[in-house]
Amino acid sequence: MEEIQPRFEFRVWGDHVDDAAAMLGESASALDSPARGAETYVVALTRSDVNTKIRGGLVDIKVLHAIAEGCEQWFPWTKAQFPLAAALVEAWLPRLGVPWLTPERRTYDFEQFLDEVVRTEPALHAVGVDKVRQRFEVEGCLAETAQVTVEDQELRTLAVESTDLDALVEVRRRLGLEGMPNVNYPAALKGALGLSLDDVR
């Protein structure tokens, strides 16, 4: 079996996006047309090292493995389709910072998981996100731009990712993003919605 290679990612938001996105459009190869999709992020207020996304009934969980050159290296922990087995939910909860929760069902469908697990715990928030995104290939790296709607807010983001850190750093330089803050999705959603540890206390 081929070993999974965790990718490094660098992501910017807001005013840092437009010029870099224009450069991508001029110099990179588009992999697809802009596509709209809906996702749900499970945001853990006490953790900054887990990124959980649910799309099309599939849970995609990544954990932060390392930080180098201002880029975050995320390792795929698991992908699983609903309904989720209690054993998976139980193994997942400590990564979300809520090890005291105990599954009360043998399996959970999407709504059961949100209603009976996420929404019962102040340290967790389910955040619905609508995206219109486009993917590119540039110098061996993957890149994407996205228009993101969160509640009543419109956000703009651009990311570059690769298993090759040196290649990513070079693309970041070419796009004029050196020195910009790298903000992953969970952190951006917490900031946009004003979620903090005060919501847990």
Side-chain angles (χ1 to χ4, degrees), residues 1-199:
M1 181 180 296
E2 184 178 354
E3 182 180 358
I4 296 175
Q5 295 294 320
R7 290 177 177 173
F8 287 94
E9 179 178 295
F10 185 81
R11 181 176 294 278
V12 295
W13 298 78
D15 294 338
H16 306 309
V17 171
D18 290 341
D19 289 345
M23 293 177 65
L24 268 183
E26 293 171 357
S27 62
S29 299
L31 298 178
D32 51 26
S33 300
R36 182 179 298 275
E39 302 171 349
T40 299
Y41 282 80
V42 179
V43 176
L45 297 190
T46 63
R47 300 292 293 265
S48 60
D49 60 348
V50 62
N51 186 341
T52 298
K53 176 174 64 180
I54 302 170
R55 177 170 59 196
L58 181 71
V59 179
D60 183 356
I61 306 169
K62 296 184 290 187
V63 294
L64 186 60
H65 183 69
I67 299 175
E69 300 287 345
C71 302
E72 295 178 335
Q73 187 182 42
W74 291 88
F75 192 89
W77 184 65
T78 194
K79 290 186 179 183
Q81 197 79 33
F82 281 98
L84 302 179
L88 174 58
V89 174
E90 188 170 22
W92 181 13
L93 291 173
R95 293 188 176 276
L96 292 173
V98 287
W100 53 84
L101 290 184
T102 302
E104 297 182 356
R105 294 179 179 269
R106 295 180 61 185
T107 62
Y108 287 84
D109 65 23
F110 175 67
E111 291 298 335
Q112 289 166 343
F113 178 74
L114 292 189
D115 290 341
E116 300 175 20
V117 178
V118 177
R119 292 178 179 135
T120 65
E121 175 50 61
L124 302 178
H125 282 262
V127 181
V129 173
D130 290 319
K131 297 180 183 178
V132 178
R133 67 174 188 157
Q134 185 171 17
R135 300 180 303 156
F136 300 85
E137 191 278 331
V138 52
E139 299 298 328
C141 299
L142 294 176
E144 73 164 26
T145 60
Q147 188 73 27
V148 179
T149 304
V150 183
E151 294 187 356
D152 59 348
Q153 301 184 57
E154 297 287 338
L155 309 174
R156 182 102 165 114
T157 184
L158 180 149
V160 183
E161 61 181 48
S162 177
T163 57
D164 185 335
L165 177 60
D166 291 337
L168 192 161
V169 169
E170 175 59 20
V171 170
R172 179 180 65 182
R173 184 194 65 78
R174 287 180 50 191
L175 294 178
L177 298 176
E178 283 185 308
M180 302 300 180
N182 181 11
V183 183
N184 58 52
Y185 258 100
L189 295 176
K190 290 176 189 178
L193 298 179
L195 301 175
S196 70
L197 289 178
D198 291 336
D199 297 299

